[in-house]
Amino acid sequence: MGCKTLFLQPILNFIAEKVVTLRLVDCAMSKGRDKDLVRLRDEALCRRYYELTEKQRLRFDDALKILSKHEFFISEERIMAVIRKKVGELENIALKAVPKVRMPRLTAKQLELFADDADDLGGETAEHTTP
């Protein structure tokens, strides 16, 4: 037993030293993403968005799809948030904010108002068709 302990003790001390060192390194490093890398990514994303929309004249929704699915691999919502945040911050480009797209909220009662207009124009609805 004495020989095994003498042989293993230096190894155990070495491992214990490394574990303590690793824990200290982990505590010293900040958690999460590197802020400088995120800033550089956001700037590159905005410049690429500007290139697609202003120089290549793509529609903003097509540009968002390209940036999201083929170039930066982040969601379209996140890309829109980054662009809105960076408007006015970047030099050398006049970045325009991404328009907010909202779906209309119509109730059934509001839609009934349009059914009368369709009848006046000669349109047929499901309720007013003749056999």
Side-chain angles (χ1 to χ4, degrees):
M1 285 260 189
C3 290
K4 289 182 183 179
T5 307
L6 290 176
F7 176 72
L8 292 177
Q9 194 59 46
I11 295 171
L12 293 174
N13 288 342
F14 177 78
I15 292 172
E17 247 179 65
K18 294 300 175 189
V19 168
V20 169
T21 304
L22 289 175
R23 286 187 184 158
L24 290 174
V25 169
D26 283 344
C27 292
M29 295 175 69
S30 64
K31 300 284 183 180
R33 296 178 178 246
D34 186 345
K35 290 181 171 106
D36 290 330
L37 291 177
V38 171
R39 183 184 51 77
L40 291 172
R41 181 213 56 199
D42 291 350
E43 184 176 322
L45 185 142
C46 289
R47 291 186 187 283
R48 185 68 179 127
Y49 174 79
Y50 178 81
E51 171 78 23
L52 291 172
T53 56
E54 299 300 321
K55 294 191 177 175
Q56 294 183 18
R57 308 301 292 166
L58 286 178
R59 292 183 346 192
F60 84 94
D61 58 328
D62 291 335
L64 288 176
K65 195 174 292 181
I66 290 170
L67 293 171
S68 176
K69 304 284 187 228
H70 301 289
E71 295 185 13
F72 288 92
F73 309 106
I74 55 178
S75 70
E76 291 180 21
E77 292 81 16
R78 181 67 191 141
I79 291 172
M80 290 189 301
V82 167
I83 292 170
R84 284 191 192 104
K85 185 178 108 181
K86 291 285 189 181
V87 168
E89 288 183 20
L90 296 177
E91 299 172 5
N92 305 329
I93 62 172
L95 189 63
K96 296 177 187 172
V98 179
K100 290 188 177 183
V101 179
R102 295 189 178 135
M103 296 297 290
R105 296 180 190 165
L106 296 175
T107 63
K109 190 169 188 151
Q110 290 171 327
L111 287 174
E112 287 176 6
L113 297 172
F114 296 111
D116 293 337
D117 291 340
D119 289 338
D120 293 342
L121 296 174
E124 293 185 12
T125 61
E127 298 171 354
H128 298 93
T129 56
T130 57

